[in-house]
């Protein structure tokens, strides 16, 4: 009787979410994939027709897209190293009994709560070779060592702009990864490293032979999340280079995400942009699945 | 605790009154953390310093110099020139979309988690598609759908101009639904069944049981999602960029972006920096006060998958 009365709740409770999700998420996804096979282009085109795989054929030979893929992978790999190694060390450090622990944690996490615009503009101006605090310093370093890009400004040189943006976005986002890794550290029962130390293991051995294996499951999940997030990156490049020269200078910071934006809302190649978005989804899905499988180990029980 | 700190017969016991004993390991940790934190401190100090300068000083004196005389009026000017409106828009949009999304997700998660019915698993999988999808994939159809809706509203007997703020509230609400449902389903599944049964025995209606027993029990999950949702709404950039038409309806992320563009023409850089601080300081204060809750909120749901 109790169950039967409750069953009356099912439909009214689920209906709002079902309708909103279907209309505002699922229908657009299906539409995007559908229009990827059309020739829809231009602001006035209201009657696109079927074009088969034409858009996808263009993708494979579009040097600008391949360049964007290359940059996205650079972000994925270099950014991954630059975010996970410091995040792991910081999380481990914050897990030790320290004085001022909360103060450090606050300062490391604080950028997370800033909006991308605040963080992106802050770094854009910090890098400015004349007006920026960091840019002025880099300029002096560049003049002493004869490094041209540092003198003319890291955001204006094709060899440094993407790295500069990656550093800004890591400064902004590292807090979340630190927190997630800290949560992983906290799940390790303290008796395990303690008893290893009693048995004579050094800090270093405890870290590599006990902490890392016990954390593997967490690391795997976070790396998969990183793959999904890095390949969708958009806002930092847009804020720091846009809106006139998104992905500049000379496309050296163009990512898959910004390229899709430029093709659709920037140049009204709707069908092409939707084919790009569909390709992007496939790339993200395949790579996150591969990462997940590759990192799958037999879980250590504890 | 570190077992090596245990007193041995040969050495005097460590002084415990001053907290953890400083050792090489700790020195390395302090050095590392300090190295990471220093640029942040310098960056914040620099933004504050610039926001209190005159434009002439910003252009004419080296970046590391402090303002000759603090220009507090920069903040008032920035607020009046649009930052105030952006601030109110962002506050409204982030707050309403968060409450709506958490509420709708709670409603949906409850039957999926607690009431056995056919298709409950299938429905969950259906909603979870939303977590995996890059936002680029829905943007173009949404844009044209919204354009059609705008036109249609203008043709009504009483024409209505679509307010981008309500549009963003709708989009942010829906964008967070899949994740919120995922987390709330996990939460509801973890609660004991006896309470619902007892409530039913006492004659409480299922609706009342949900509202007065289950929802209060799920408060930890709800508060984490509220924090996460608010931060999402406060920071979201892409939808705002595409959908906001009217200058007065811009959110903080979008408005600051345009303020930066304008600074090139109006030569008002210090106003931009004041605006950045107006956007940053309230969230930083809230974060400082609720540090532990925010930290918990940011990690909710990630490590269960």
């Amino acid at each position: 009787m109790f169950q039967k009365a409750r069953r009356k709740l099912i439909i009214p409770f689920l209906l709002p979410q079902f309708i909103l999700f279907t209309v505002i998420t699922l229908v657009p996804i299906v539409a995007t994939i559908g229009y990827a096979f059309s020739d829809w282009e231009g602001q006035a085109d209201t009657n696109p027709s079927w074009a088969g795989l034409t858009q996808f054929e263009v993708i494979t030979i579009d040097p600008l897209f391949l360049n964007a893929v290359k940059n996205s992978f650079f972000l994925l790999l270099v950014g991954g190293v630059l975010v996970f190694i410091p995040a792991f060390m910081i999380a481990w450090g914050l897990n030790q009994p320290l004085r001022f622990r909360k103060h450090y944690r606050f300062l490391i996490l604080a950028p997370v709560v800033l909006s991308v615009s605040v963080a992106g503009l802050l770094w854009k101006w910090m890098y400015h070779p004349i007006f920026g605090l960091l840019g002025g310093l880099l300029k002096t370093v560049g003049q002493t060592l004869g490094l041209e890009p540092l003198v003319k400004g890291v955001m204006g040189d094709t060899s440094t702009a993407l790295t500069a943006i990656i550093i800004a976005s890591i400064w902004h986002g590292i807090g979340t990864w630190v927190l997630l890794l800290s949560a992983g550290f906290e799940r390790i029962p303290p008796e395990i490293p303690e008893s290893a130390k009693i048995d004579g293991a050094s800090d270093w051995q405890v870290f590599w032979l006990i902490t890392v294996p016990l954390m593997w499951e967490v690391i795997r999940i976070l790396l998969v999340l990183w793959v999904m997030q890095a390949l969708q990156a958009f806002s930092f490049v847009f804020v720091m280079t846009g809106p006139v020269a998104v992905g500049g200078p000379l496309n050296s910071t163009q990512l898959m995400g910004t390229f899709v934006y430029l093709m659709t809302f920037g140049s009204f190649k709707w069908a092409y942009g939707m084919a790009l978005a569909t390709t992007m989804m496939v790339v993200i899905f395949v790579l996150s699945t591969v990462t997940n499988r590759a990192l799958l180990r037999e879980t250590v029980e504890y | 605790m570190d077992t090596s700190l245990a007193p041995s017969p040969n050495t005097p016991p460590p002084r415990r009154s001053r907290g953890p004993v400083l050792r090489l390991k700790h020195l390395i940790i302090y050095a590392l953390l300090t190295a990471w934190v220093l640029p942040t401190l310098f960056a914040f100090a620099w933004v504050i310093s610039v926001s209190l300068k005159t434009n002439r000083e910003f252009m004419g004196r080296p970046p590391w110099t402090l303002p000759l005389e603090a220009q507090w009026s920069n903040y008032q000017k920035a607020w009046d020139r649009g930052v105030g409106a952006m601030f109110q828009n962002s506050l409204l949009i982030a707050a309403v979309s968060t409450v709506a999304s958490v509420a709708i997700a709670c409603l949906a998660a409850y039957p999926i988690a607690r009431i056995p019915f056919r298709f409950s698993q299938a429905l969950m999988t259906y909603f979870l598609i939303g977590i995996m999808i890059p936002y680029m994939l829905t943007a173009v159809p949404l844009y044209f759908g919204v354009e059609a809706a705008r036109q249609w509203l203008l043709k009504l007997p009483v024409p209505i101009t679509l307010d981008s703020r309500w549009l963003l509230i709708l989009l942010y609400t829906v964008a967070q639904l899949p994740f919120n449902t995922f987390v709330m389903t996990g939460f509801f599944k973890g609660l004991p069944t006896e309470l619902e049964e007892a409530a039913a025995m006492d004659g409480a209606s299922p609706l009342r049981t949900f509202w007065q027993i289950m929802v209060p029990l799920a408060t930890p999950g709800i508060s984490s999602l509220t924090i996460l949702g608010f931060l999402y709404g406060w920071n979201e950039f892409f939808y705002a960029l595409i959908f906001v038409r009217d200058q007065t309806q811009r959110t903080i992320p979008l408005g600051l972006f345009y303020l930066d563009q304008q600074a090139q023409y109006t030569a008002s850089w210090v106003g931009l920096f004041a605006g950045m601080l107006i956007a940053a300081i309230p969230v930083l204060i809230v974060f400082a006060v609720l540090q532990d809750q925010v930290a918990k909120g940011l990690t909710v749901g990630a490590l269960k998958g």
Side-chain angles (χ1 to χ4, degrees), chain A residues 115 117-118, chain B residues 83 86-87 90 234 250-257 279:
Chain A
S115 93
S117 292
V118 173
Chain B
V83 178
M86 298 170 201
F87 193 91
S90 271
W234 187 259
R250 285 176 183 162
T251 58
I252 282 184
L254 186 70
L256 284 179
F257 175 70

Side-chain angles (χ1 to χ4, degrees), chain B residues 167-239:
Chain B
L167 179 64
L168 285 187
I169 288 173
L170 177 69
L171 293 174
Y172 293 176
T173 303
V174 178
Q176 298 177 75
L177 280 179
F179 180 74
N180 287 353
T181 310
F182 169 69
V183 173
M184 287 319 298
T185 309
F187 245 91
F188 282 131
K189 273 194 178 141
L191 299 176
T193 46
E194 290 83 355
L195 292 162
E196 279 164 306
E197 282 160 15
M201 299 279 250
D202 291 345
S205 71
L207 192 63
R208 215 176 131 189
T209 313
F210 168 74
W211 182 242
Q212 292 195 332
I213 295 172
M214 301 309 278
V215 171
L217 285 173
T219 315
I222 291 173
S223 62
S224 289
L225 290 178
T226 305
I227 288 166
L228 208 59
F230 190 85
L231 281 176
Y232 171 83
W234 187 259
N235 292 333
E236 206 283 337
F237 182 74
F238 182 75
Y239 282 144

Side-chain angles (χ1 to χ4, degrees), chain A residues 6 22 32 105 115 117 124, chain B residues 126 137 196 253 260 291-292:
Chain A
R6 279 206 311 178
T22 306
T32 295
R105 195 175 78 156
S115 93
S117 292
K124 179 184 153 183
Chain B
Y126 177 69
L137 203 64
E196 279 164 306
D260 178 60
Q291 204 190 135
D292 290 326

Side-chain angles (χ1 to χ4, degrees), chain A residues 5-298:
Chain A
R6 279 206 311 178
R7 294 179 71 87
K8 284 188 193 137
L9 295 181
I10 297 175
I11 290 175
F13 271 36
L14 279 163
L15 209 59
Q17 158 128 335
F18 187 81
I19 292 171
L20 286 172
F21 179 76
T22 306
V23 174
I24 294 179
T25 307
L26 205 85
V27 170
I29 294 173
V30 175
T32 295
I33 297 172
Y35 279 116
F37 297 92
S38 76
D39 63 356
W40 188 10
E41 192 176 320
Q43 274 175 294
D45 187 358
T46 49
N47 197 9
S49 51
W50 176 261
L53 288 169
T54 321
Q55 308 295 352
F56 292 95
E57 281 160 16
V58 179
I59 289 177
T60 55
I61 53 164
D62 183 346
L64 284 176
F65 180 64
L66 297 180
N67 168 63
V69 172
K70 193 194 78 195
N71 288 336
S72 281
F73 276 84
F74 183 82
L75 166 69
L76 176 69
L77 296 175
V78 174
V81 171
L82 290 180
V83 80
F84 276 99
I85 292 176
F88 206 89
M89 294 187 339
I90 292 169
W92 177 76
L94 287 178
N95 216 38
Q96 309 290 321
L98 294 180
R99 300 183 77 186
F100 308 118
R101 198 175 139 257
K102 279 215 152 182
H103 301 85
Y104 277 113
R105 195 175 78 156
F106 175 75
L107 284 169
I108 290 161
L109 298 186
V112 173
V113 300
L114 303 180
S115 93
V116 266
S117 292
V118 173
L121 294 176
L122 166 69
W123 279 85
K124 179 184 153 183
W125 283 102
M126 286 267 284
Y127 284 135
H128 195 286
I130 299 163
F131 306 133
L133 190 64
L134 187 60
L137 185 75
L138 291 175
K139 192 177 174 181
T140 320
V141 174
Q143 274 162 345
T144 337
L145 300 175
L147 296 169
E148 186 57 28
L150 299 189
V151 179
K152 78 180 199 201
V154 284
M155 288 301 294
D157 194 280
T158 51
S159 64
T160 47
L162 185 55
T163 312
I165 295 176
I166 290 174
I167 289 172
S169 70
I170 286 170
W171 174 81
H172 179 242
I174 198 167
T176 317
W177 303 102
V178 168
L179 282 174
L180 291 166
L181 286 165
S182 293
F185 278 117
E186 276 158 23
R187 296 207 309 188
I188 298 175
E191 309 87 71
I192 300 179
E194 267 169 32
S195 59
K197 274 191 190 157
I198 293 171
D199 293 343
S202 70
D203 277 345
W204 192 246
Q205 283 173 316
V206 169
F207 182 78
W208 281 111
L209 299 174
I210 292 172
T211 311
V212 172
L214 287 178
M215 288 277 286
W216 192 256
E217 184 71 6
V218 172
I219 295 170
R220 179 176 62 87
I221 295 168
L222 297 188
L223 285 175
V224 174
L225 283 176
W226 170 256
V227 171
M228 292 169 63
Q229 216 186 72
L231 294 176
Q232 290 185 48
F234 168 84
S235 304
F236 263 90
V237 168
F238 195 91
V239 168
M240 292 176 76
T241 65
V244 185
V246 176
L250 295 172
N251 288 308
S252 61
T253 62
Q254 198 70 264
L255 303 175
M256 291 198 287
T258 52
F259 190 64
V260 172
Y261 175 85
L262 282 185
M263 288 299 107
T264 50
F265 298 100
S267 43
F268 315 118
K269 292 183 180 171
W270 305 115
Y272 186 53
M274 289 169 158
L276 286 168
T278 310
T279 310
M280 211 174 128
M281 178 193 69
V282 174
V283 170
I284 292 171
F285 181 76
V286 169
L287 259 165
S288 50
T289 313
V290 167
T291 312
N292 192 25
R293 291 277 161 78
L295 298 174
L296 212 55
R297 300 269 187 284
E298 275 181 47

Side-chain angles (χ1 to χ4, degrees), chain B residues 49-128:
Chain B
S49 157
V50 173
S51 75
L52 293 172
K53 285 182 174 180
T54 61
N55 282 306
R56 190 182 283 266
E57 269 179 277
F58 176 69
M59 298 287 288
R61 302 185 70 225
W64 57 85
T65 52
L66 293 175
L68 295 170
E69 198 185 332
Q71 308 289 323
W72 295 105
S73 61
N74 286 347
Y75 289 90
Q76 184 64 47
K77 281 185 206 149
W79 182 269
D80 292 340
R81 285 189 195 153
V83 178
M86 298 170 201
F87 193 91
Q88 288 160 24
N89 291 340
S90 271
L91 205 60
L92 171 86
I93 292 168
V96 177
S97 65
T98 302
V99 172
S101 188
V102 173
I104 295 171
C106 273
L107 287 182
Y110 181 67
I112 292 178
R114 311 285 303 189
I115 308 175
F117 67 101
R118 267 210 290 180
F119 312 123
S120 68
Q121 262 318 303
L123 257 176
M124 190 64 202
T125 315
Y126 177 69
F127 292 143
L128 284 180

